[in-house]
Amino acid sequence: MTQKIGFLGAGRMAAAMIKRLISKGYQIQVWNRSPDKLEPLVALGAVACATPALAATGVDTIISFMADDKAAKAVWLGDDGALEAMSPGTIAIECSTLSHAFVLDLARTVSNAGHTYIDAPVTGIPADIEAGNTIFLIGAEPADLDRIRPILEDTGKRIVHFGPVGSGTVYKLMHNLLGAVHIAAAAELVAVAQKAGLDGATVAETFSIGANASGSGLVTVPGMISGNHHEGIHFTTALRAKDASYALAMTKEYGISVPVGQAAYDVFETASRAGFGDLAQSAVIETLKP
């Protein structure tokens, strides 16, 4: 594999992965909708590109981190999109959390154009990715996965191969829906504890050592107790609502009812509509306060 990779997106997660790859000796050329976010990466050696097509030019591997289906469609298939500039046989690694139906459609389009699509959403927060602790949730043919395994091993600590394209997204969407359930339930716990006058520090400590503590809860409970939803944001309320909506749409594809997941989605969607969408996920607690 080449040591040069084209990147689509430079948000929190993408920037962390780019930093990791640069530290491993990879050359990175990257496009981002907001060019100012590229400055710290350029300072590390990345090459800023004016369009997704330019980021995809002259490389045989492209990695994408987009917020949603609309953004992913634009960077791959839109005007000056990556697909039109890709050399024959290029590998498209899509790390974004996208809807299941869209992933399957995009994979077909990329494949029909003579390229390879890898379904590769990730778990973790930016600090995990930059530290090399990424977990890749892969949907791909085994031979295709083997072609990019060196890149994934340089970036993460675990590669989980679920099966063909789309299977990584199936797990990622349900994983994130479970996170929404955990956070929404933790918000109820904190809201009631605060109303009852319990000490916040004691609540946080006891939650952290309890049997019901989860990773999602542990990173959001402190913000729920402090009321600070503006600092240290690694995932927003709106993004959690988006991922939950994609998960619910996918469960309908399979004819499965998920009432607990639906309730969690409603909590996050309500918070987003109330103006907390751009804040940390801990902000969902604000909609529970009387």
Side-chain angles (χ1 to χ4, degrees):
M1 297 295 294
T2 183
Q3 291 292 105
K4 181 185 289 186
I5 299 174
F7 245 89
L8 307 177
R12 298 180 185 94
M13 300 287 276
M17 186 174 288
I18 290 170
K19 292 175 183 177
R20 175 70 181 181
L21 288 167
I22 290 175
S23 76
K24 289 292 184 176
Y26 290 87
Q27 301 173 49
I28 303 295
Q29 52 192 50
V30 54
W31 168 89
N32 191 66
R33 184 176 58 183
S34 303
D36 57 298
K37 289 187 177 180
L38 298 179
E39 294 176 5
L41 302 175
V42 170
L44 294 175
V47 176
C49 297
T51 66
L54 289 173
T57 300
V59 301
D60 58 21
T61 304
I62 302 168
I63 298 176
S64 172
F65 268 99
M66 291 289 111
D68 53 28
D69 290 359
K70 181 179 179 181
K73 183 176 182 179
V75 297
W76 287 111
L77 309 178
D79 294 339
D80 291 321
L83 188 62
E84 68 181 42
M86 290 161 62
S87 301
T90 298
I91 299 177
I93 305 175
E94 182 54 88
C95 293
S96 314
T97 302
L98 305 173
S99 73
H100 184 244
F102 177 75
V103 162
L104 297 181
D105 285 344
L106 180 59
R108 279 191 290 267
T109 300
V110 171
S111 178
N112 289 339
H115 310 295
T116 298
Y117 184 96
I118 305 287
D119 177 29
V122 302
T123 66
I125 61 176
D128 293 330
I129 292 178
E130 191 170 344
N133 292 324
T134 309
I135 298 175
F136 290 96
L137 312 173
I138 301 294
E141 294 303 314
D144 295 335
L145 173 57
D146 286 341
R147 292 175 64 193
I148 65 164
R149 192 175 292 275
I151 294 174
L152 303 186
E153 290 178 344
D154 279 340
T155 311
K157 69 175 182 180
R158 184 78 184 270
I159 300 167
V160 185
H161 186 200
F162 286 97
V165 169
S167 58
T169 288
V170 169
Y171 184 85
K172 178 60 187 295
L173 290 177
M174 294 312 296
H175 170 86
N176 279 18
L177 185 62
L178 180 60
V181 170
H182 287 177
I183 295 167
E188 293 180 345
L189 182 154
V190 174
V192 172
Q194 288 181 327
K195 185 65 175 180
L198 275 62
D199 176 71
T202 302
V203 169
E205 179 184 3
T206 307
F207 175 81
S208 70
I209 63 174
N212 294 322
S214 66
S216 298
L218 289 171
V219 299
T220 53
V221 164
M224 294 176 189
I225 291 172
S226 69
N228 183 354
H229 315 301
H230 300 78
E231 297 178 338
I233 300 174
H234 68 265
F235 207 72
T236 67
T237 298
L239 283 176
R240 183 65 70 175
K242 180 269 297 184
D243 288 357
S245 73
Y246 287 170
L248 293 175
M250 181 182 67
T251 62
K252 291 180 180 178
E253 296 173 19
Y254 294 116
I256 296 176
S257 175
V258 287
V260 177
Q262 178 69 56
Y265 163 73
D266 292 341
V267 171
F268 278 91
E269 182 64 13
T270 297
S272 296
R273 291 183 179 277
F276 301 110
D278 291 333
L279 302 183
Q281 302 171 88
S282 55
V284 296
I285 194 172
E286 301 302 327
T287 63
L288 302 177
K289 295 179 178 179

